[in-house]
Amino acid sequence: MSFERDLLAILPRLRRFAASLSHDRADGDDLCQAALEKGLRARDQWQPGTRLDSWMYRIMRNLWIDEGRARQRAARTFAPEEAGADVGYAGDKAVEQAMTLSDVDRAMQALPPEQREAIALVLVEGLSYKEAAAILNIPMGTLTSRLVRGRGALIELLGEAA
Amino acid sequence: MTDIDEAMLIAWVDGELDEVTRRRVDRAVADDPALAARLEQHRRLRARLAGHFAPIAQEDVPASMQAMLASPTVVPIARPSRRWSWVTGGAIAASLLLGLGIGHMSGGQDGPIAVRNGAMLARGSLATALDSQLASAGEGGSIHIGLSFRRKGGGWCRSFDGAAMAGVACRTDAGWQLLQAVSGKGQASEYRQAASADPRLLATIDGLIDGAPVDAQGERAAQAAGWR
């Protein structure tokens, strides 16, 4: 009975996670909305007594990965034909991105997806290694090595020199 | 010289070290300025990232997302006493069905909308539902109230969803003015998608709303104050 109410309670955190994965706030809200729809449709698969937030984080993360793959496929499909037009477009996009995104957003964008999701769950969402590894379905050692590499890159990108 | 590696430093920052290992790192850091500087970098990075995204979780969630979760099955708030609920509930349901299901848009006495001074006003059973029905009561009539919220510039608005029509109405001195109405999704069944999830209505709500929709308590208080 309280499924929607529980979802509503964790929605601000889900929205934050979506924003930390996505290119910008609008993309983040699109992702969050899609995850909510999926969660509501799949509610029978959630086991009461288990963590709803972990379940929703996992749904959102899987959607985000699928979407990234689809985008890569599309890029490969269209690239040869429109290579010429693409160059100018990509340039505009890069300029726009540089102007509207903050340093932190840009640095997160630069990380490979598997590092970005690990960083987002642990540093932004504040989950334990155990919880994050379970959501990503990877061993703890894999998680920690992604955290080490991702953080090294972020320190570099953000110029967090001591 | 030390055997403290990067993974241990970040685990220190993430609070993932056991007590013994944490002390070992503390001692090594105290003896090694370079290691201390690296630990400080990691501590600052975590604080910066967390601080950058933290405000998002403090914001009001967009109305479109709240509306997705505002199902009438949600809230097990106190209902009217059993003795009366079947009478009033049944009577309201029947009158709403008459009003919205088979009433005429403008001609008939029972139509849900009147046009006065160029504005569409809710009347009859729709006006009654907007005045008195609580979304939080989860009443199973043919009208569901969706969200109740304050609009920018002041005043109350409510979204509703019925078999024939769904829309958004705002309270004015003349009554409930319909700002938008779209076709309903036909007879209510348990599994239908509410028409109030219609993107056009959600866009209207997003444009109107000041802050977040009120919760059950706020809804009752506003109703008690006559939506003034």
Side-chain angles (χ1 to χ4, degrees), chain A:
Chain A
M1 282 306 275
S2 60
F3 186 80
E4 280 93 350
R5 205 178 38 197
D6 292 347
L7 263 184
L8 197 58
I10 61 171
L11 190 49
R13 283 193 284 137
L14 295 174
R15 212 169 150 236
R16 179 178 58 193
F17 181 50
S20 65
L21 292 179
S22 302
H23 172 264
D24 55 37
R25 294 294 307 276
D27 281 1
D29 277 348
D30 286 349
L31 174 62
C32 190
Q33 183 118 5
L36 274 184
E37 279 164 19
K38 184 143 197 196
L40 286 169
R41 270 202 311 274
R43 61 190 295 166
D44 293 344
Q45 291 163 33
W46 177 66
Q47 295 174 348
T50 62
R51 296 265 304 253
L52 182 63
D53 55 354
S54 297
W55 188 71
M56 283 302 299
Y57 280 136
R58 192 176 302 122
I59 285 177
M60 184 177 285
R61 179 262 174 184
N62 289 343
L63 279 173
W64 176 68
I65 294 285
D66 289 348
E67 188 191 316
R69 285 200 191 114
R71 204 175 286 162
Q72 276 178 355
R73 266 199 309 278
R76 275 201 300 275
T77 311
F78 295 121
E81 216 175 322
E82 300 179 357
D86 253 9
V87 176
Y89 178 67
D92 290 348
K93 191 97 178 163
V95 170
E96 177 201 336
Q97 182 167 330
M99 288 176 68
T100 55
L101 294 183
S102 76
D103 293 348
V104 172
D105 291 322
R106 252 200 316 276
M108 285 289 275
Q109 291 291 310
L111 295 183
E114 69 273 11
Q115 291 174 23
R116 202 189 319 174
E117 62 189 11
I119 298 272
L121 285 174
V122 174
L123 277 72
V124 178
E125 294 307 308
L127 297 192
S128 70
Y129 289 1
K130 198 173 154 199
E131 290 164 333
I135 286 166
L136 299 175
N137 202 18
I138 52 177
M140 289 270 272
T142 308
L143 177 80
T144 51
S145 79
R146 286 177 187 177
L147 287 173
V148 167
R149 274 179 290 145
R151 282 160 120 138
L154 285 176
I155 285 175
E156 198 92 339
L157 288 162
L158 290 170
E160 283 277 349

Side-chain angles (χ1 to χ4, degrees), chain B residues 21-115:
Chain B
T21 317
R22 197 173 62 76
R23 288 212 183 131
R24 195 149 67 86
V25 174
D26 283 343
R27 275 195 304 274
V29 164
D31 293 343
D32 184 343
L35 203 61
R38 190 67 182 165
L39 181 68
E40 177 60 17
Q41 273 183 343
H42 279 302
R43 209 189 48 72
R44 283 220 310 261
L45 177 69
R46 181 169 169 134
R48 183 165 173 189
L49 246 72
H52 177 75
F53 291 103
I56 298 174
Q58 305 302 322
E59 287 172 13
D60 290 329
V61 172
S64 53
M65 290 187 204
Q66 303 214 18
M68 292 174 69
L69 300 175
S71 142
T73 58
V74 188
V75 196
I77 303 287
R79 287 163 172 271
S81 76
R82 268 232 161 280
R83 190 158 73 94
W84 292 107
S85 62
W86 70 271
V87 181
T88 53
I92 289 172
S95 65
L96 288 178
L97 202 63
L98 275 173
L100 289 181
I102 56 176
H104 298 289
M105 281 294 281
S106 51
Q109 288 298 307
D110 289 332
I113 299 176
V115 177

